[in-house]
Amino acid sequence: MASMPPDVVRYPLHRTTLANGLQVVVSPDPSVPVVAVNLWFDVGSRDEQPGRTGLAHLFEHLMFEGSAQVAAGEHLAAVQAVGGSANATTWFDRTNYFETVPTGALDLALWLEAERLGSLRLTQETLDNQRDVVMEEKRQRYDNVPYGDVLIHLVELTFPADHPYGHPTIGSMADLVAADLADVRSFFATHYAPDNAVLTLVGDVDPADAVARVERTLGRLPAAGRPRRSPTPGLPPLAGVPRREVAARVPSDAAYLAWRLPARDSRHFDAAELALAVLGGGQTSRLHRRLVRTDEVAEGAGASATGLIAGTSTGFAHARALPGVAAEALEEAMLAEVTRLVDEGPEPAEVDRAKAQFEREWLSDLARLDSRADLFGCYATLHGDPGEVNERLDQVRSIEPDAVAAAARMYLRPEQRAVLTYRKER
Amino acid sequence: MSRPVVGAPRVWQFPEPERRTLDNGLRLLAFHRPGQHLLNATLVVDQPLVSEPRALEGVSSMILRVLDEGTRSHPGTDFADAVEGCGAVLHGGTSQSAAHLSIEVPVTRLDAALPLLAEVVREPQLSDDDVRRQVELRLAEIAQHRAHPAHRGGQEFRAAVIDGAFRASRSAAGEADTVAAISGEAVRTAHADQYRPDASTLVLAGDLPADLLGRVDRAFAGWRSTGSGAVQHESPLAAPPRCLLVHRSGAVQADVRLGSFGVDRSHPDWPALRLGTFVLGGGFLSRLNRVLREERGYTYGVQLTNVPARHGGLLSLHASFRTEVAAAAISEATDLLVTDGDRGITRPELTDAVNYLVGVAPLRCATAAGIVDQASALVEVGLDQSFVNRHTAELLRISPDQATDAVQRLLPLGALTLVVVGDADVLAEPLRAQGFDPQVVVDD
């Protein structure tokens, strides 16, 4: 197989930590007159308290509702009005906020971030309004589409209810209704501070000049003291094949398998991810060949891993039935392929394909300035070193088929699975 | 600290590609983008769906679905093994006017990937068995899409807004009755007729090697035309306005589309219309989103969008409102679209819209994939690559009155089509109370 020249995806990196604890990563790229500004806050749904789920995601909304010198909604509107884009997302392990702007608007983007971090306006009015918006988001994305609640069920099957990953990021609507202004203010004070964040700039900037601009804006905010987390040890594999069946108005039956995997910062996780790619990544995968092409029981089938940092990640396999095929038939065929992979391991050519596909997907993530910045923020926040982004291709390339076989045997055994099925209501 | 002053953006121009035409008539557009480690290539085949037999609609889309199921040189699953083994991925799609087949691969694997792209259009197997299986998969997909409110709403809106005499009023990938009739023979015939180098353009971008054109030539030179005749496109017309309520029992939201048959990029009103729709429903604090999301909390978001085709386009508001407030929300949305009298588009609104539309262009074109998407979209509708820079210059010349006027003419408030996908048992009465007269559609 052809290989990349070793330095071809080595992006320049300049790291510094400001006096207030804000970590700053700058990676210059002059190819277009644009800069991506990306802030990772080390807070996700795993940091929510029982009875107050959904707060991390609610903040993703509230952070756009104005501050001392910025009106509600104006953050986004001001960025758009200079030809930029802005957004935010929430996940189990983080909340990220980002703007991509013409380089002349870098100061504006940094100022807007400093404004809301320093003086976010939290009022009953915006809390009520954004709570309504979040409820519409949940209806639109989870409740009103076929199979929309799949992630909620899989999370609940894979983790104990009191585990940090035991509830989905959208949270409980009852919890959201119960949250009051004091809860929201306390969450902000605990988690939103410069020393709990990584700021990444990627684009047409000079590192020293960029850091000076950050100093003048976000550098003025006080540190708050990083919140402490109690350690979360890795969970043992699932036992007893936990199972949930959902009867719903879906067009056809579907089946999902779930496993617990090691944390995302381990080679075992990378090997398990490659094993899941052999099982269910792309048209050449075993699940696609068996269920879609040979048995013709499914309209689609696949598998993938979701990397999480706190001790335990997840791996899922899925298949959606062709009309008239029952979920049991899907599960049986999926299980046969899982068993074969665990018993016999992958062919070397399958592992090569999985690595080649990983490489393309990784390069695709790095191609965009905004997603490249997000990767630096991710590795700085969760892995402690943004430089790992430059090592990642070599790390994955060096995993041998034996390690993939061992990961399948260790983490993907049929008896270590959970099962979710959707049954079409007649 | 007070709000920083924003520096003027650096002037940016859409890059000029290197252009060639091979001896077999295949046109090439190559964009050299240093630092882009992925090669993106899209082959656009001029393939108006109006040429499909009425009883076999979807056959053009079916070609693309079966194309990568094996070639003469790489029979059956050997082909997918070869593609994925070199780290490439293939995607295909069909619009009303063209088929497009895209490959993405690390530039270092170009020599393995380019011949595979050529092979898949030159010598696909298109076997009866693969076609039969893909027909079943497409039928299952149709059932999935019908059950999905946003898919269903889009489909119903297209069918309601475009005159049913035109192919463009129906799904590009065909509907259940016509898809079920597609045979291997029909797919092979359509492929021989439509996949012609002299009706195709290959758009490439990435950190390209110096001898790229020679490599492309070697890969594609053996591709010969088996079809003939000029390619004819249709110019669809609008249907009369309608009001449809598609019943989805128990739905907690109503998926709403409100709009009209719009215009394409060649229309003189295109720049003014893009700006006007951005002011009304494009930005986060657009007139629609500011009220319906940020003040009322009726929806996760509301947009007014233009989807231009080769001839004409779709202009529509789209939002999901919770069922209890949907009728009131639609009524309020209609009111927010009014631009008469002192509600015309203002200079500050227009300035923000111009800055946004002009400013995001370099970001969208920052990657090889972004450049190829933009360039191939223009090829697909028969426009030259110079369109982007010309359009940018036009945006800067539009006045607030021109934007207001374009919206008023192209989004005529008394004559819009409304499509609601939701629980008709709950929605019909409130909609009537708001002055709408919906025709209720109930599936068998």
Side-chain angles (χ1 to χ4, degrees), chain B residues 5-69:
Chain B
V5 176
V6 174
R10 240 169 49 197
V11 176
W12 178 88
Q13 293 272 297
F14 188 73
E16 180 59 22
E18 187 169 353
R19 299 161 195 259
R20 287 287 166 80
T21 303
L22 302 190
D23 290 344
N24 59 6
L26 175 66
R27 288 178 296 275
L28 300 183
L29 300 174
F31 296 87
H32 180 49
R33 309 305 289 161
Q36 290 288 310
H37 305 301
L38 286 178
L39 172 93
N40 286 82
T42 294
L43 184 79
V44 182
V45 181
D46 207 8
Q47 182 201 48
L49 296 187
V50 66
S51 66
E52 292 182 324
R54 177 67 183 90
L56 294 176
E57 284 183 357
V59 70
S60 302
S61 169
M62 191 55 63
I63 298 172
L64 281 169
R65 287 163 192 259
V66 189
L67 216 49
D68 59 352
E69 295 276 0

Side-chain angles (χ1 to χ4, degrees), chain B residues 227-276:
Chain B
S228 61
V231 177
Q232 298 289 332
H233 292 270
E234 69 174 5
S235 294
L237 297 173
R242 299 179 66 183
C243 180
L244 293 181
L245 174 53
V246 180
H247 181 48
R248 229 177 139 246
S249 175
V252 294
Q253 280 184 329
D255 183 278
V256 172
R257 276 151 225 268
L258 178 69
S260 59
F261 187 65
V263 298
D264 57 72
R265 298 176 183 86
S266 309
H267 194 279
D269 282 330
W270 176 248
L273 180 67
R274 269 193 90 201
L275 292 167

Side-chain angles (χ1 to χ4, degrees), chain A residues 4 8 65 69 74 80-81 104 129 136 140 144 204 249 283-284 289 293 296 299 357 360, chain B residues 1 3 7 10 37 68-69 81 84 87-88 104 108 132 144 248-249 253 284 293-294 322 355:
Chain A
M4 309 284 288
V8 78
E65 292 304 310
Q69 301 183 72
E74 196 192 350
Q80 290 178 336
N129 166 256
E136 291 315 303
Q140 185 170 337
N144 202 38
D204 192 7
R249 256 173 285 187
Q283 268 198 67
T284 62
R289 290 251 158 103
R293 225 188 130 92
E296 298 189 35
E299 62 158 312
Q357 290 299 317
R360 179 184 47 74
Chain B
M1 183 181 174
R3 182 178 301 234
R10 240 169 49 197
H37 305 301
D68 59 352
E69 295 276 0
D81 286 349
E84 292 190 8
E104 180 175 79
T108 48
R132 179 196 54 72
Q144 292 286 346
R248 229 177 139 246
S249 175
Q253 280 184 329
F284 184 73
R293 171 182 153 127
E294 291 295 291
R322 69 175 174 275
N355 287 345

